[in-house]
Amino acid sequence: MNYEKLIAEIVTRVIEKLEALEREKAPCAPSSHVPERERETPRAEVRLEKRVITEKDIVEARRGGASAVRIAERAIMTDLAKEYAHAHDIAVKRG
C-alpha cells in the first residue's frame, strides 16, 4: 500500500472540506446577474428598550438586518457593544 499517496489524498480532501466550510461562513459577494437595485436592500433601524445594551444585543440586531440601533437617552452601552457596533458599521442613535 502506498501510504504517501493515501496521506496526500486525505490531506487534499480535508483542505477542500475546510475551504468549503469557510465559503459557507463568508459573506457572499453579490452576483453579477442580479440587478443593482435588487442587491441593495435598505436595512432597518432597531429600537432597543433595555437599560443596559450588551454586545449580544447588537449582534442580534445585526443578524436581523439592522444597520442602526436606537437606544434610550440614558441607556448604558457596554464597551464591547460599542466596539462591535463600530467594527460592523452599525449606527447608534440615542433618543
Side-chain angles (χ1 to χ4, degrees):
M1 179 172 264
N2 186 345
Y3 289 110
E4 288 182 22
K5 186 176 180 181
L6 181 61
I7 291 171
E9 179 66 26
I10 291 170
V11 169
T12 301
R13 288 183 184 186
V14 169
I15 290 171
E16 288 172 354
K17 182 67 174 174
L18 290 172
E19 288 172 346
L21 290 172
E22 278 300 313
R23 283 191 299 273
E24 289 176 12
K25 289 183 190 176
C28 298
S31 300
S32 59
H33 69 280
V34 177
E36 185 72 25
R37 67 184 181 286
E38 292 180 22
R39 279 190 253 151
E40 295 180 10
T41 55
R43 294 174 64 190
E45 178 179 290
V46 173
R47 178 143 183 98
L48 300 175
E49 300 289 337
K50 297 173 65 180
R51 174 83 170 117
V52 177
I53 309 300
T54 65
E55 180 187 30
K56 181 180 176 185
D57 298 320
I58 305 300
V59 169
E60 289 176 6
R62 181 171 180 248
R63 282 188 187 145
S67 62
V69 292
R70 184 167 297 276
I71 63 176
E73 199 65 45
R74 297 181 52 114
I76 299 167
M77 193 168 181
T78 66
D79 289 339
L80 284 175
K82 291 175 188 175
E83 290 172 14
Y84 185 88
H86 178 74
H88 293 89
D89 294 323
I90 298 172
V92 178
K93 302 174 182 177
R94 292 195 178 261

